[in-house]
Amino acid sequence: MALDVLHLDNHLLVVRKPAGMLAQGDQTGDVTLLEMGKAFLKAQFNKPGDVFLGLVHRLDRPASGVMVFARTSKAASRLSAQFRTREIEKCYWALAQGETPEQGHLVHYLARRQSKSRVVVAPEGQRAELSFRRLGYAQNVSWVHIDLDTGRHHQIRVQFSYIGHPLLGDLKYGAQKPFPNRALALHARSLTLSHPTTQERLTFTAEPEPFWPKMFTV
């Protein structure tokens, strides 16, 4: 699979992550987006030896969308700081079961359970906050645009499940049906950041998987 590059400069590599691909390695040993990025840079610039590429955020394996990597340690440090201080704006698209409200603001407290593989709403958890608006509704499915204020593990999946609208394909959190290719109907539509050296504000956008329902394409 070829790497889908959205932006490349001396400090950033921005790509579109396909659904089903790991962002970084796990016990499966499957190929990761990080490894593909390093291989791309090595070939692109004919670099000998190891290539530095910093992972500064993640997407769940079954999700798709925009991911940014740092090409230098300085860029990695500055991007990580932007994520910590919420200077980076993250917008998602999701397909949720049922008819969601036209818009909403969700605040819950999330905690990990079962060896940290599952997240639940619990009073002792970390604050999780997002806003959403419904872009469309058809065949008992809502297409929602989500502005993420915090970046908790499985946050969007858990919060929408908790209000009765699990994401399509999210069998772990209550979905009734699988999504094509064992994917999840969650897509990191855009990411806005300040360039680590120029401070220019940049927005990167990616389209969802081609198997998303055609009634929800723009």
Side-chain angles (χ1 to χ4, degrees), residues 94-103 132-145 164-166 168 213-218:
L95 303 180
Q97 288 181 190
E99 186 174 5
T100 68
E102 290 188 1
Q103 60 185 10
F132 71 90
R133 67 180 189 275
R134 193 178 70 217
L135 301 177
Y137 175 72
Q139 301 176 29
N140 201 37
V141 174
S142 295
W143 170 29
V144 290
H145 174 106
H165 300 286
L168 299 190
K214 299 303 181 186
M215 59 186 172
F216 292 125
T217 56
V218 294

Short mmCIF file of all heavy atoms in Angstrom, two decimals, residues 94-103 132-145 164-166 168 213-218:
data_model
loop_
_atom_site.label_atom_id
_atom_site.label_comp_id
_atom_site.label_asym_id
_atom_site.label_seq_id
_atom_site.Cartn_x
_atom_site.Cartn_y
_atom_site.Cartn_z
N ALA A 94 -18.08 11.26 11.85
CA ALA A 94 -18.49 9.94 12.33
C ALA A 94 -19.89 9.63 11.82
O ALA A 94 -20.69 10.54 11.56
CB ALA A 94 -18.45 9.88 13.85
N LEU A 95 -20.17 8.35 11.67
CA LEU A 95 -21.51 7.88 11.37
C LEU A 95 -22.02 7.16 12.60
O LEU A 95 -21.42 6.19 13.06
CB LEU A 95 -21.50 6.93 10.16
CG LEU A 95 -20.92 7.48 8.86
CD1 LEU A 95 -20.97 6.43 7.76
CD2 LEU A 95 -21.66 8.74 8.42
N ALA A 96 -23.13 7.66 13.15
CA ALA A 96 -23.66 7.14 14.40
C ALA A 96 -25.05 6.53 14.19
O ALA A 96 -25.84 7.01 13.36
CB ALA A 96 -23.74 8.26 15.45
N GLN A 97 -25.33 5.48 14.94
CA GLN A 97 -26.64 4.85 14.86
C GLN A 97 -27.72 5.79 15.39
O GLN A 97 -27.52 6.49 16.38
CB GLN A 97 -26.67 3.56 15.70
CG GLN A 97 -25.88 2.42 15.10
CD GLN A 97 -25.93 1.15 15.93
OE1 GLN A 97 -25.20 0.21 15.67
NE2 GLN A 97 -26.79 1.11 16.93
N GLY A 98 -28.86 5.79 14.69
CA GLY A 98 -29.99 6.58 15.15
C GLY A 98 -29.89 8.05 14.77
O GLY A 98 -28.94 8.49 14.13
N GLU A 99 -30.89 8.80 15.19
CA GLU A 99 -30.96 10.24 14.89
C GLU A 99 -30.45 11.03 16.08
O GLU A 99 -31.12 11.16 17.10
CB GLU A 99 -32.39 10.65 14.55
CG GLU A 99 -32.51 12.08 14.08
CD GLU A 99 -33.91 12.44 13.60
OE1 GLU A 99 -34.81 11.60 13.74
OE2 GLU A 99 -34.08 13.57 13.11
N THR A 100 -29.25 11.55 15.96
CA THR A 100 -28.67 12.36 17.03
C THR A 100 -29.35 13.72 17.07
O THR A 100 -30.02 14.12 16.11
CB THR A 100 -27.16 12.58 16.79
OG1 THR A 100 -26.99 13.41 15.64
CG2 THR A 100 -26.42 11.26 16.60
N PRO A 101 -29.18 14.48 18.16
CA PRO A 101 -29.61 15.88 18.14
C PRO A 101 -28.91 16.63 17.02
O PRO A 101 -27.84 16.21 16.53
CB PRO A 101 -29.17 16.39 19.51
CG PRO A 101 -29.07 15.17 20.37
CD PRO A 101 -28.62 14.08 19.47
N GLU A 102 -29.48 17.74 16.60
CA GLU A 102 -28.88 18.53 15.52
C GLU A 102 -27.50 19.05 15.92
O GLU A 102 -26.61 19.19 15.08
CB GLU A 102 -29.78 19.68 15.12
CG GLU A 102 -31.04 19.23 14.41
CD GLU A 102 -31.83 20.40 13.85
OE1 GLU A 102 -31.39 21.56 14.00
OE2 GLU A 102 -32.89 20.15 13.25
N GLN A 103 -27.34 19.33 17.19
CA GLN A 103 -26.03 19.75 17.70
C GLN A 103 -25.98 19.45 19.19
O GLN A 103 -27.01 19.22 19.84
CB GLN A 103 -25.78 21.23 17.44
CG GLN A 103 -26.78 22.16 18.07
CD GLN A 103 -26.54 23.61 17.68
OE1 GLN A 103 -25.74 23.91 16.81
NE2 GLN A 103 -27.22 24.53 18.34
N PHE A 132 -20.52 18.77 18.78
CA PHE A 132 -20.84 18.16 17.50
C PHE A 132 -22.04 18.85 16.86
O PHE A 132 -22.83 19.51 17.53
CB PHE A 132 -21.11 16.66 17.66
CG PHE A 132 -22.41 16.32 18.36
CD1 PHE A 132 -23.59 16.15 17.63
CD2 PHE A 132 -22.47 16.18 19.73
CE1 PHE A 132 -24.79 15.85 18.26
CE2 PHE A 132 -23.66 15.88 20.38
CZ PHE A 132 -24.83 15.71 19.64
N ARG A 133 -22.13 18.67 15.55
CA ARG A 133 -23.33 19.08 14.82
C ARG A 133 -23.65 18.01 13.77
O ARG A 133 -22.73 17.42 13.20
CB ARG A 133 -23.15 20.45 14.17
CG ARG A 133 -22.15 20.52 13.05
CD ARG A 133 -22.06 21.95 12.49
NE ARG A 133 -21.25 22.03 11.28
CZ ARG A 133 -19.95 22.16 11.25
NH1 ARG A 133 -19.26 22.24 12.39
NH2 ARG A 133 -19.30 22.22 10.11
N ARG A 134 -24.90 17.79 13.56
CA ARG A 134 -25.32 16.77 12.60
C ARG A 134 -25.32 17.35 11.19
O ARG A 134 -25.92 18.39 10.93
CB ARG A 134 -26.71 16.24 12.95
CG ARG A 134 -27.09 14.96 12.21
CD ARG A 134 -28.45 14.46 12.64
NE ARG A 134 -29.51 15.34 12.17
CZ ARG A 134 -30.61 15.63 12.84
NH1 ARG A 134 -30.78 15.15 14.06
NH2 ARG A 134 -31.52 16.43 12.33
N LEU A 135 -24.63 16.67 10.29
CA LEU A 135 -24.53 17.12 8.90
C LEU A 135 -25.58 16.47 8.01
O LEU A 135 -25.89 16.99 6.93
CB LEU A 135 -23.14 16.81 8.35
CG LEU A 135 -21.96 17.45 9.09
CD1 LEU A 135 -20.65 16.99 8.48
CD2 LEU A 135 -22.05 18.96 9.07
N GLY A 136 -26.09 15.32 8.44
CA GLY A 136 -27.08 14.62 7.63
C GLY A 136 -27.69 13.47 8.41
O GLY A 136 -27.15 13.03 9.42
N TYR A 137 -28.85 13.01 7.92
CA TYR A 137 -29.52 11.87 8.54
C TYR A 137 -30.26 11.09 7.46
O TYR A 137 -31.02 11.67 6.68
CB TYR A 137 -30.49 12.33 9.63
CG TYR A 137 -31.29 11.19 10.22
CD1 TYR A 137 -30.67 10.26 11.07
CD2 TYR A 137 -32.64 11.02 9.93
CE1 TYR A 137 -31.39 9.20 11.60
CE2 TYR A 137 -33.37 9.97 10.47
CZ TYR A 137 -32.74 9.06 11.30
OH TYR A 137 -33.44 8.01 11.83
N ALA A 138 -30.02 9.78 7.40
CA ALA A 138 -30.69 8.91 6.43
C ALA A 138 -30.58 7.47 6.89
O ALA A 138 -29.56 7.07 7.47
CB ALA A 138 -30.07 9.07 5.04
N GLN A 139 -31.65 6.71 6.66
CA GLN A 139 -31.64 5.27 6.94
C GLN A 139 -31.18 4.96 8.37
O GLN A 139 -30.39 4.06 8.62
CB GLN A 139 -30.77 4.53 5.91
CG GLN A 139 -31.24 4.71 4.48
CD GLN A 139 -30.33 4.07 3.46
OE1 GLN A 139 -29.68 3.07 3.74
NE2 GLN A 139 -30.31 4.62 2.25
N ASN A 140 -31.67 5.76 9.30
CA ASN A 140 -31.38 5.59 10.73
C ASN A 140 -29.90 5.75 11.07
O ASN A 140 -29.39 5.17 12.03
CB ASN A 140 -31.88 4.23 11.24
CG ASN A 140 -32.07 4.23 12.75
OD1 ASN A 140 -32.50 5.22 13.35
ND2 ASN A 140 -31.73 3.12 13.40
N VAL A 141 -29.20 6.55 10.28
CA VAL A 141 -27.78 6.85 10.52
C VAL A 141 -27.58 8.36 10.50
O VAL A 141 -28.06 9.04 9.59
CB VAL A 141 -26.88 6.19 9.46
CG1 VAL A 141 -25.42 6.62 9.65
CG2 VAL A 141 -26.98 4.67 9.53
N SER A 142 -26.88 8.88 11.50
CA SER A 142 -26.54 10.31 11.54
C SER A 142 -25.07 10.51 11.16
O SER A 142 -24.19 9.80 11.64
CB SER A 142 -26.76 10.87 12.96
OG SER A 142 -28.12 10.83 13.30
N TRP A 143 -24.86 11.49 10.30
CA TRP A 143 -23.49 11.89 9.93
C TRP A 143 -23.18 13.13 10.75
O TRP A 143 -23.86 14.14 10.65
CB TRP A 143 -23.46 12.17 8.43
CG TRP A 143 -22.21 12.80 7.90
CD1 TRP A 143 -20.95 12.69 8.39
CD2 TRP A 143 -22.12 13.64 6.75
NE1 TRP A 143 -20.07 13.41 7.62
CE2 TRP A 143 -20.76 14.00 6.61
CE3 TRP A 143 -23.04 14.11 5.82
CZ2 TRP A 143 -20.31 14.82 5.57
CZ3 TRP A 143 -22.60 14.93 4.79
CH2 TRP A 143 -21.24 15.27 4.67
N VAL A 144 -22.17 13.05 11.63
CA VAL A 144 -21.88 14.14 12.54
C VAL A 144 -20.46 14.67 12.35
O VAL A 144 -19.53 13.91 12.04
CB VAL A 144 -22.07 13.73 14.02
CG1 VAL A 144 -23.54 13.52 14.32
CG2 VAL A 144 -21.28 12.48 14.36
N HIS A 145 -20.32 15.96 12.51
CA HIS A 145 -19.03 16.65 12.53
C HIS A 145 -18.70 16.91 13.98
O HIS A 145 -19.53 17.47 14.72
CB HIS A 145 -19.12 17.95 11.74
CG HIS A 145 -17.88 18.79 11.82
ND1 HIS A 145 -16.98 18.90 10.78
CD2 HIS A 145 -17.40 19.57 12.82
CE1 HIS A 145 -16.00 19.72 11.15
NE2 HIS A 145 -16.23 20.13 12.38
N GLY A 164 -26.43 6.90 23.56
CA GLY A 164 -27.33 6.05 22.79
C GLY A 164 -27.11 6.02 21.30
O GLY A 164 -27.97 5.53 20.56
N HIS A 165 -25.97 6.51 20.84
CA HIS A 165 -25.70 6.56 19.40
C HIS A 165 -24.30 6.01 19.10
O HIS A 165 -23.40 6.77 18.70
CB HIS A 165 -25.83 7.99 18.88
CG HIS A 165 -27.18 8.58 19.07
ND1 HIS A 165 -28.26 8.21 18.30
CD2 HIS A 165 -27.64 9.50 19.97
CE1 HIS A 165 -29.33 8.89 18.70
NE2 HIS A 165 -28.98 9.67 19.71
N PRO A 166 -24.07 4.70 19.30
CA PRO A 166 -22.74 4.15 19.00
C PRO A 166 -22.38 4.32 17.53
O PRO A 166 -23.26 4.39 16.66
CB PRO A 166 -22.90 2.67 19.36
CG PRO A 166 -24.36 2.40 19.31
CD PRO A 166 -25.02 3.67 19.73
N LEU A 168 -21.06 3.39 13.83
CA LEU A 168 -21.20 2.21 13.00
C LEU A 168 -19.90 1.40 13.03
O LEU A 168 -18.81 1.96 12.92
CB LEU A 168 -21.53 2.60 11.55
CG LEU A 168 -22.82 3.39 11.30
CD1 LEU A 168 -23.09 3.45 9.80
CD2 LEU A 168 -24.01 2.80 12.04
N PRO A 213 -20.91 5.35 3.19
CA PRO A 213 -22.13 5.46 2.38
C PRO A 213 -22.12 6.70 1.50
O PRO A 213 -21.80 7.80 1.92
CB PRO A 213 -23.24 5.55 3.46
CG PRO A 213 -22.66 4.87 4.64
CD PRO A 213 -21.19 5.18 4.63
N LYS A 214 -22.52 6.52 0.23
CA LYS A 214 -22.49 7.62 -0.72
C LYS A 214 -23.45 8.73 -0.35
O LYS A 214 -23.29 9.87 -0.75
CB LYS A 214 -22.82 7.10 -2.14
CG LYS A 214 -21.82 6.06 -2.65
CD LYS A 214 -20.40 6.60 -2.66
CE LYS A 214 -19.41 5.55 -3.18
NZ LYS A 214 -18.02 5.99 -3.07
N MET A 215 -24.48 8.39 0.45
CA MET A 215 -25.42 9.43 0.85
C MET A 215 -24.78 10.45 1.76
O MET A 215 -25.34 11.51 2.04
CB MET A 215 -26.62 8.79 1.57
CG MET A 215 -26.24 8.01 2.82
SD MET A 215 -27.66 7.13 3.51
CE MET A 215 -26.86 6.14 4.79
N PHE A 216 -23.57 10.13 2.26
CA PHE A 216 -22.90 11.03 3.19
C PHE A 216 -21.60 11.56 2.63
O PHE A 216 -20.66 11.79 3.37
CB PHE A 216 -22.66 10.34 4.53
CG PHE A 216 -23.92 10.05 5.30
CD1 PHE A 216 -24.19 8.78 5.72
CD2 PHE A 216 -24.81 11.06 5.59
CE1 PHE A 216 -25.35 8.51 6.43
CE2 PHE A 216 -25.97 10.82 6.30
CZ PHE A 216 -26.23 9.53 6.72
N THR A 217 -21.48 11.73 1.35
CA THR A 217 -20.27 12.32 0.77
C THR A 217 -20.59 13.75 0.34
O THR A 217 -21.74 14.09 0.08
CB THR A 217 -19.75 11.51 -0.43
OG1 THR A 217 -20.80 11.39 -1.40
CG2 THR A 217 -19.33 10.11 0.01
N VAL A 218 -19.54 14.57 0.28
CA VAL A 218 -19.75 15.96 -0.11
C VAL A 218 -18.87 16.29 -1.31
O VAL A 218 -17.93 15.55 -1.61
CB VAL A 218 -19.41 16.93 1.03
CG1 VAL A 218 -20.40 16.74 2.17
CG2 VAL A 218 -18.01 16.74 1.55
#
